[in-house]
């Protein structure tokens, strides 16, 4: 697993050992950023169920200025910190080791231009999507990864579906904040 493009292009990323983390493949990550636009002019990124932190680090490599990664598993949170250091982004990444639904009410409202949600497929992104809207800046984007056979709803309060794609068993739903 590597950073696909930008300032840290080609840097190797490590995922924690075991089946608890299912990193987004380089192919799917590249496809997501093709849909979002290749590069960003600043802005903060929120990575929920962050795993290895690959999505947030890819966004930083492509121009986002800071990232908040929420991951409750100790080994995964440590992997995010190591990956941020290896990519040269340690000072731009905040790792919060807690459950996503506990973290969401404590995050700053309107602070994030971009959010990624990559929960376990059995859990799904619905509950986090329902709570995410107030955290996004106007026009902000949320990208939810899910089982392609079980897509989330098209609307969640301040979030409206803008695009949906499938890459094998992996579904990607992109929402815009109104």
């Amino acid at each position: 697993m590597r950073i696909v493009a930008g300032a840290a292009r080609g840097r190797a990323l490590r995922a924690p050992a075991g089946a608890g983390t299912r990193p987004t493949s380089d192919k799917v990550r590249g496809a997501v950023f093709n849909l979002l636009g290749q590069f960003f002019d600043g802005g903060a990124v929120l990575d929920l169920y962050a795993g290895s932190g690959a999505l947030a680090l890819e966004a930083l490599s492509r121009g986002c200025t800071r990232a908040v990664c929420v991951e409750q598993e100790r080994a995964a949170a440590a992997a995010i910190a190591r990956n941020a250091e290896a990519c040269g982004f340690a000072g731009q990444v905040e790792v919060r080791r807690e459950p996503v639904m506990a973290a969401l009410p404590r995050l700053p409202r309107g602070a994030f231009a971009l959010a990624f949600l990559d929960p376990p497929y059995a859990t799904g992104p619905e509950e986090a999507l329902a709570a995410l809207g107030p955290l996004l800046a106007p026009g902000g984007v949320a990208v939810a990864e899910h089982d392609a056979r079980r897509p989330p709803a098209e609307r969640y309060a301040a979030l409206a579906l803008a695009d949906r794609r499938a890459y094998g068993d992996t579904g990607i739903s992109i929402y815009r904040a109104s």
Side-chain angles (χ1 to χ4, degrees):
M1 186 171 50
R2 297 188 175 282
I3 297 292
V4 176
R9 180 180 182 190
R11 298 273 171 87
L13 301 175
R14 308 238 179 224
T21 301
R22 175 193 35 79
T24 302
S25 72
D26 293 358
K27 176 185 170 189
V28 172
R29 218 170 343 107
V32 165
F33 282 94
N34 283 339
L35 293 170
L36 296 176
Q38 290 295 313
F39 297 96
F40 304 100
D41 291 324
V45 59
L46 176 62
D47 194 350
L48 303 174
Y49 312 95
S52 66
L55 291 165
L57 296 171
E58 187 76 43
L60 289 172
S61 182
R62 294 168 183 253
C64 284
T65 54
R66 66 182 189 87
V68 175
C69 297
V70 180
E71 174 56 58
Q72 72 178 15
E73 297 299 325
R74 181 182 319 258
I80 294 166
R82 282 192 307 273
N83 287 334
E85 180 73 33
C87 290
F89 300 134
Q92 296 168 264
V93 177
E94 175 187 349
V95 180
R96 290 182 172 226
R97 199 174 75 76
E98 61 185 317
V100 165
M101 295 312 296
L104 287 174
R106 292 195 291 273
L107 292 168
R109 297 172 71 83
F112 300 98
L114 180 60
F116 293 105
L117 303 87
D118 186 9
Y121 282 180
T123 302
E126 292 84 1
E127 186 178 15
L129 280 168
L132 182 62
L135 303 180
L136 292 175
V141 175
V143 180
E145 188 171 328
H146 51 84
D147 185 324
R149 296 170 300 241
R150 289 189 15 199
E154 293 186 8
R155 192 159 209 31
Y156 292 91
L159 300 177
L161 185 68
D163 201 347
R164 181 169 280 152
R165 306 284 173 108
Y167 304 93
D169 290 339
T170 301
I172 299 293
S173 294
I174 300 175
Y175 295 85
R176 285 220 179 265
S178 53

